[in-house]
Amino acid sequence: MKTDDLMNLLATGAAPVPRHAGERRFALALGLGLVCALAWVHLVYGVRSDLGEVWATPAFGVKLAMPLAVAVSGLVVVFLLGHPGARVRGWAWGLWLPVALLWAWAMLVLAQAAPGTRAALVLGETWRYCVFNVMATALPVGVALFWALRGLAPTRPLLTGAAAGWLAGAVGAAVYALHCPEMQAPFLAVWYVLGMAACALLGALAGWRWLRW
């Protein structure tokens, strides 16, 4: 088949893409993923009974600030990576700067704590299953994001998948915080971030497999 014939065949029936179709696809994916994550936490783990009391406390604000800040920047980064030639620019800072600030706060807390209490600040009472719970909560968000990305045209599947996994992990961590009783910055800096990093690793592997053209 000649090149001109192939191009004509590929162009047959082509129609303009609706305006803001990508934005709507991402909004739908994130909305569905978030609803499923909330339902998972509510039905499987249960929302903490004192949520109304701790909601406005500084400690709970710090607990939510890191994953929510990462999620805001991550959504922009993942959306841009879904488009060929788009530049992430300064939005990439938002993927790791909130984590760096949490780590700095956690180190300050540990430095000021008595030596005998530092292990408890890091391990808390739920360290054995925190990472898994964050990943499980993030799973529906990650699946929805990959569905959205497969409707776009990412040219860097490994990086795009990792960013999508990191974003899903951040959303999962924020939603899981509604159940998790831990409030200390050292715990969050280790186990929440490990859960998000595990999601990013799985996202990279999935991106390499399912986001390639």
PDB file of all heavy atoms in Angstrom, residues 56-82:
ATOM      1  N   ALA A  56     -10.450  19.780  62.758  1.00  0.00           N
ATOM      2  CA  ALA A  56      -9.918  21.143  62.711  1.00  0.00           C
ATOM      3  C   ALA A  56      -8.612  21.305  63.484  1.00  0.00           C
ATOM      4  O   ALA A  56      -8.122  22.429  63.627  1.00  0.00           O
ATOM      5  CB  ALA A  56     -10.966  22.119  63.255  1.00  0.00           C
ATOM      6  N   THR A  57      -8.021  20.216  63.963  1.00  0.00           N
ATOM      7  CA  THR A  57      -6.781  20.324  64.726  1.00  0.00           C
ATOM      8  C   THR A  57      -5.588  20.500  63.788  1.00  0.00           C
ATOM      9  O   THR A  57      -5.598  20.024  62.651  1.00  0.00           O
ATOM     10  CB  THR A  57      -6.563  19.073  65.588  1.00  0.00           C
ATOM     11  OG1 THR A  57      -6.454  17.929  64.722  1.00  0.00           O
ATOM     12  CG2 THR A  57      -7.724  18.874  66.556  1.00  0.00           C
ATOM     13  N   PRO A  58      -4.533  21.195  64.257  1.00  0.00           N
ATOM     14  CA  PRO A  58      -3.339  21.366  63.407  1.00  0.00           C
ATOM     15  C   PRO A  58      -2.718  20.039  62.983  1.00  0.00           C
ATOM     16  O   PRO A  58      -2.243  19.910  61.852  1.00  0.00           O
ATOM     17  CB  PRO A  58      -2.396  22.168  64.306  1.00  0.00           C
ATOM     18  CG  PRO A  58      -3.292  22.885  65.265  1.00  0.00           C
ATOM     19  CD  PRO A  58      -4.430  21.949  65.509  1.00  0.00           C
ATOM     20  N   ALA A  59      -2.719  19.054  63.881  1.00  0.00           N
ATOM     21  CA  ALA A  59      -2.100  17.767  63.552  1.00  0.00           C
ATOM     22  C   ALA A  59      -2.814  17.096  62.385  1.00  0.00           C
ATOM     23  O   ALA A  59      -2.171  16.541  61.478  1.00  0.00           O
ATOM     24  CB  ALA A  59      -2.114  16.847  64.779  1.00  0.00           C
ATOM     25  N   PHE A  60      -4.130  17.143  62.391  1.00  0.00           N
ATOM     26  CA  PHE A  60      -4.876  16.533  61.287  1.00  0.00           C
ATOM     27  C   PHE A  60      -4.699  17.348  60.012  1.00  0.00           C
ATOM     28  O   PHE A  60      -4.676  16.790  58.908  1.00  0.00           O
ATOM     29  CB  PHE A  60      -6.360  16.424  61.645  1.00  0.00           C
ATOM     30  CG  PHE A  60      -7.118  15.502  60.740  1.00  0.00           C
ATOM     31  CD1 PHE A  60      -7.042  14.132  60.909  1.00  0.00           C
ATOM     32  CD2 PHE A  60      -7.903  16.001  59.709  1.00  0.00           C
ATOM     33  CE1 PHE A  60      -7.735  13.264  60.070  1.00  0.00           C
ATOM     34  CE2 PHE A  60      -8.598  15.140  58.868  1.00  0.00           C
ATOM     35  CZ  PHE A  60      -8.504  13.770  59.049  1.00  0.00           C
ATOM     36  N   GLY A  61      -4.568  18.666  60.153  1.00  0.00           N
ATOM     37  CA  GLY A  61      -4.301  19.491  58.983  1.00  0.00           C
ATOM     38  C   GLY A  61      -2.982  19.145  58.326  1.00  0.00           C
ATOM     39  O   GLY A  61      -2.885  19.062  57.090  1.00  0.00           O
ATOM     40  N   VAL A  62      -1.940  18.922  59.146  1.00  0.00           N
ATOM     41  CA  VAL A  62      -0.642  18.503  58.610  1.00  0.00           C
ATOM     42  C   VAL A  62      -0.765  17.141  57.938  1.00  0.00           C
ATOM     43  O   VAL A  62      -0.168  16.878  56.889  1.00  0.00           O
ATOM     44  CB  VAL A  62       0.410  18.464  59.731  1.00  0.00           C
ATOM     45  CG1 VAL A  62       1.704  17.823  59.248  1.00  0.00           C
ATOM     46  CG2 VAL A  62       0.683  19.874  60.246  1.00  0.00           C
ATOM     47  N   LYS A  63      -1.565  16.275  58.545  1.00  0.00           N
ATOM     48  CA  LYS A  63      -1.746  14.923  58.011  1.00  0.00           C
ATOM     49  C   LYS A  63      -2.339  14.942  56.605  1.00  0.00           C
ATOM     50  O   LYS A  63      -1.957  14.143  55.743  1.00  0.00           O
ATOM     51  CB  LYS A  63      -2.650  14.145  58.961  1.00  0.00           C
ATOM     52  CG  LYS A  63      -2.857  12.691  58.620  1.00  0.00           C
ATOM     53  CD  LYS A  63      -3.709  12.021  59.683  1.00  0.00           C
ATOM     54  CE  LYS A  63      -3.900  10.550  59.391  1.00  0.00           C
ATOM     55  NZ  LYS A  63      -4.656   9.868  60.467  1.00  0.00           N
ATOM     56  N   LEU A  64      -3.274  15.846  56.369  1.00  0.00           N
ATOM     57  CA  LEU A  64      -3.910  15.940  55.061  1.00  0.00           C
ATOM     58  C   LEU A  64      -3.146  16.819  54.084  1.00  0.00           C
ATOM     59  O   LEU A  64      -3.281  16.664  52.873  1.00  0.00           O
ATOM     60  CB  LEU A  64      -5.332  16.490  55.212  1.00  0.00           C
ATOM     61  CG  LEU A  64      -6.408  15.545  55.744  1.00  0.00           C
ATOM     62  CD1 LEU A  64      -7.740  16.275  55.813  1.00  0.00           C
ATOM     63  CD2 LEU A  64      -6.537  14.304  54.867  1.00  0.00           C
ATOM     64  N   ALA A  65      -2.373  17.765  54.612  1.00  0.00           N
ATOM     65  CA  ALA A  65      -1.749  18.772  53.744  1.00  0.00           C
ATOM     66  C   ALA A  65      -0.820  18.154  52.718  1.00  0.00           C
ATOM     67  O   ALA A  65      -0.846  18.523  51.536  1.00  0.00           O
ATOM     68  CB  ALA A  65      -0.999  19.799  54.604  1.00  0.00           C
ATOM     69  N   MET A  66       0.029  17.210  53.149  1.00  0.00           N
ATOM     70  CA  MET A  66       0.995  16.638  52.215  1.00  0.00           C
ATOM     71  C   MET A  66       0.324  15.897  51.069  1.00  0.00           C
ATOM     72  O   MET A  66       0.564  16.212  49.886  1.00  0.00           O
ATOM     73  CB  MET A  66       1.974  15.734  52.961  1.00  0.00           C
ATOM     74  CG  MET A  66       3.078  15.147  52.072  1.00  0.00           C
ATOM     75  SD  MET A  66       2.611  13.636  51.176  1.00  0.00           S
ATOM     76  CE  MET A  66       2.533  12.451  52.523  1.00  0.00           C
ATOM     77  N   PRO A  67      -0.539  14.898  51.326  1.00  0.00           N
ATOM     78  CA  PRO A  67      -1.125  14.179  50.181  1.00  0.00           C
ATOM     79  C   PRO A  67      -2.013  15.052  49.307  1.00  0.00           C
ATOM     80  O   PRO A  67      -2.041  14.874  48.086  1.00  0.00           O
ATOM     81  CB  PRO A  67      -1.913  13.044  50.844  1.00  0.00           C
ATOM     82  CG  PRO A  67      -2.141  13.477  52.237  1.00  0.00           C
ATOM     83  CD  PRO A  67      -0.958  14.303  52.611  1.00  0.00           C
ATOM     84  N   LEU A  68      -2.726  16.002  49.902  1.00  0.00           N
ATOM     85  CA  LEU A  68      -3.589  16.863  49.090  1.00  0.00           C
ATOM     86  C   LEU A  68      -2.759  17.785  48.205  1.00  0.00           C
ATOM     87  O   LEU A  68      -3.116  18.020  47.034  1.00  0.00           O
ATOM     88  CB  LEU A  68      -4.518  17.674  49.988  1.00  0.00           C
ATOM     89  CG  LEU A  68      -5.632  16.883  50.687  1.00  0.00           C
ATOM     90  CD1 LEU A  68      -6.473  17.806  51.554  1.00  0.00           C
ATOM     91  CD2 LEU A  68      -6.515  16.174  49.665  1.00  0.00           C
ATOM     92  N   ALA A  69      -1.665  18.324  48.740  1.00  0.00           N
ATOM     93  CA  ALA A  69      -0.801  19.194  47.935  1.00  0.00           C
ATOM     94  C   ALA A  69      -0.178  18.414  46.788  1.00  0.00           C
ATOM     95  O   ALA A  69      -0.089  18.906  45.648  1.00  0.00           O
ATOM     96  CB  ALA A  69       0.281  19.814  48.811  1.00  0.00           C
ATOM     97  N   VAL A  70       0.261  17.188  47.071  1.00  0.00           N
ATOM     98  CA  VAL A  70       0.818  16.339  46.010  1.00  0.00           C
ATOM     99  C   VAL A  70      -0.252  16.021  44.969  1.00  0.00           C
ATOM    100  O   VAL A  70       0.013  16.032  43.759  1.00  0.00           O
ATOM    101  CB  VAL A  70       1.399  15.040  46.608  1.00  0.00           C
ATOM    102  CG1 VAL A  70       1.766  14.052  45.497  1.00  0.00           C
ATOM    103  CG2 VAL A  70       2.619  15.350  47.454  1.00  0.00           C
ATOM    104  N   ALA A  71      -1.477  15.768  45.436  1.00  0.00           N
ATOM    105  CA  ALA A  71      -2.550  15.401  44.507  1.00  0.00           C
ATOM    106  C   ALA A  71      -2.885  16.543  43.560  1.00  0.00           C
ATOM    107  O   ALA A  71      -3.129  16.322  42.365  1.00  0.00           O
ATOM    108  CB  ALA A  71      -3.789  14.986  45.292  1.00  0.00           C
ATOM    109  N   VAL A  72      -2.890  17.775  44.055  1.00  0.00           N
ATOM    110  CA  VAL A  72      -3.211  18.921  43.200  1.00  0.00           C
ATOM    111  C   VAL A  72      -2.181  19.062  42.089  1.00  0.00           C
ATOM    112  O   VAL A  72      -2.527  19.174  40.898  1.00  0.00           O
ATOM    113  CB  VAL A  72      -3.292  20.210  44.036  1.00  0.00           C
ATOM    114  CG1 VAL A  72      -3.377  21.429  43.126  1.00  0.00           C
ATOM    115  CG2 VAL A  72      -4.506  20.164  44.961  1.00  0.00           C
ATOM    116  N   SER A  73      -0.906  19.049  42.463  1.00  0.00           N
ATOM    117  CA  SER A  73       0.137  19.152  41.440  1.00  0.00           C
ATOM    118  C   SER A  73       0.192  17.905  40.567  1.00  0.00           C
ATOM    119  O   SER A  73       0.418  17.986  39.360  1.00  0.00           O
ATOM    120  CB  SER A  73       1.508  19.370  42.105  1.00  0.00           C
ATOM    121  OG  SER A  73       1.537  20.598  42.794  1.00  0.00           O
ATOM    122  N   GLY A  74      -0.029  16.750  41.184  1.00  0.00           N
ATOM    123  CA  GLY A  74       0.035  15.506  40.430  1.00  0.00           C
ATOM    124  C   GLY A  74      -1.013  15.421  39.352  1.00  0.00           C
ATOM    125  O   GLY A  74      -0.754  14.881  38.264  1.00  0.00           O
ATOM    126  N   LEU A  75      -2.197  15.938  39.617  1.00  0.00           N
ATOM    127  CA  LEU A  75      -3.246  15.902  38.596  1.00  0.00           C
ATOM    128  C   LEU A  75      -2.833  16.703  37.370  1.00  0.00           C
ATOM    129  O   LEU A  75      -3.031  16.255  36.230  1.00  0.00           O
ATOM    130  CB  LEU A  75      -4.549  16.451  39.176  1.00  0.00           C
ATOM    131  CG  LEU A  75      -5.748  16.460  38.229  1.00  0.00           C
ATOM    132  CD1 LEU A  75      -6.065  15.053  37.753  1.00  0.00           C
ATOM    133  CD2 LEU A  75      -6.970  17.073  38.904  1.00  0.00           C
ATOM    134  N   VAL A  76      -2.232  17.861  37.589  1.00  0.00           N
ATOM    135  CA  VAL A  76      -1.775  18.682  36.461  1.00  0.00           C
ATOM    136  C   VAL A  76      -0.646  17.980  35.714  1.00  0.00           C
ATOM    137  O   VAL A  76      -0.637  17.932  34.474  1.00  0.00           O
ATOM    138  CB  VAL A  76      -1.317  20.067  36.953  1.00  0.00           C
ATOM    139  CG1 VAL A  76      -0.774  20.903  35.800  1.00  0.00           C
ATOM    140  CG2 VAL A  76      -2.466  20.794  37.639  1.00  0.00           C
ATOM    141  N   VAL A  77       0.306  17.424  36.466  1.00  0.00           N
ATOM    142  CA  VAL A  77       1.450  16.758  35.842  1.00  0.00           C
ATOM    143  C   VAL A  77       1.001  15.563  35.004  1.00  0.00           C
ATOM    144  O   VAL A  77       1.439  15.390  33.856  1.00  0.00           O
ATOM    145  CB  VAL A  77       2.465  16.324  36.917  1.00  0.00           C
ATOM    146  CG1 VAL A  77       3.531  15.403  36.313  1.00  0.00           C
ATOM    147  CG2 VAL A  77       3.124  17.537  37.549  1.00  0.00           C
ATOM    148  N   VAL A  78       0.144  14.732  35.563  1.00  0.00           N
ATOM    149  CA  VAL A  78      -0.306  13.548  34.832  1.00  0.00           C
ATOM    150  C   VAL A  78      -1.093  13.951  33.587  1.00  0.00           C
ATOM    151  O   VAL A  78      -0.937  13.349  32.513  1.00  0.00           O
ATOM    152  CB  VAL A  78      -1.156  12.643  35.748  1.00  0.00           C
ATOM    153  CG1 VAL A  78      -1.772  11.498  34.954  1.00  0.00           C
ATOM    154  CG2 VAL A  78      -0.302  12.096  36.874  1.00  0.00           C
ATOM    155  N   PHE A  79      -1.929  14.968  33.719  1.00  0.00           N
ATOM    156  CA  PHE A  79      -2.691  15.423  32.555  1.00  0.00           C
ATOM    157  C   PHE A  79      -1.749  15.931  31.461  1.00  0.00           C
ATOM    158  O   PHE A  79      -1.941  15.626  30.273  1.00  0.00           O
ATOM    159  CB  PHE A  79      -3.658  16.530  32.961  1.00  0.00           C
ATOM    160  CG  PHE A  79      -4.516  17.028  31.831  1.00  0.00           C
ATOM    161  CD1 PHE A  79      -5.588  16.280  31.381  1.00  0.00           C
ATOM    162  CD2 PHE A  79      -4.240  18.232  31.202  1.00  0.00           C
ATOM    163  CE1 PHE A  79      -6.383  16.723  30.326  1.00  0.00           C
ATOM    164  CE2 PHE A  79      -5.013  18.691  30.154  1.00  0.00           C
ATOM    165  CZ  PHE A  79      -6.092  17.934  29.710  1.00  0.00           C
ATOM    166  N   LEU A  80      -0.720  16.686  31.836  1.00  0.00           N
ATOM    167  CA  LEU A  80       0.226  17.183  30.845  1.00  0.00           C
ATOM    168  C   LEU A  80       1.012  16.047  30.204  1.00  0.00           C
ATOM    169  O   LEU A  80       1.255  16.049  28.991  1.00  0.00           O
ATOM    170  CB  LEU A  80       1.194  18.181  31.494  1.00  0.00           C
ATOM    171  CG  LEU A  80       0.590  19.522  31.923  1.00  0.00           C
ATOM    172  CD1 LEU A  80       1.617  20.352  32.684  1.00  0.00           C
ATOM    173  CD2 LEU A  80       0.083  20.299  30.708  1.00  0.00           C
ATOM    174  N   LEU A  81       1.412  15.064  30.991  1.00  0.00           N
ATOM    175  CA  LEU A  81       2.157  13.932  30.441  1.00  0.00           C
ATOM    176  C   LEU A  81       1.319  13.099  29.477  1.00  0.00           C
ATOM    177  O   LEU A  81       1.870  12.342  28.678  1.00  0.00           O
ATOM    178  CB  LEU A  81       2.672  13.045  31.573  1.00  0.00           C
ATOM    179  CG  LEU A  81       3.816  13.610  32.409  1.00  0.00           C
ATOM    180  CD1 LEU A  81       4.120  12.703  33.596  1.00  0.00           C
ATOM    181  CD2 LEU A  81       5.076  13.800  31.557  1.00  0.00           C
ATOM    182  N   GLY A  82       0.021  13.234  29.565  1.00  0.00           N
ATOM    183  CA  GLY A  82      -0.843  12.532  28.626  1.00  0.00           C
ATOM    184  C   GLY A  82      -0.906  13.163  27.255  1.00  0.00           C
ATOM    185  O   GLY A  82      -1.556  12.622  26.350  1.00  0.00           O
TER     186      GLY A  82
END
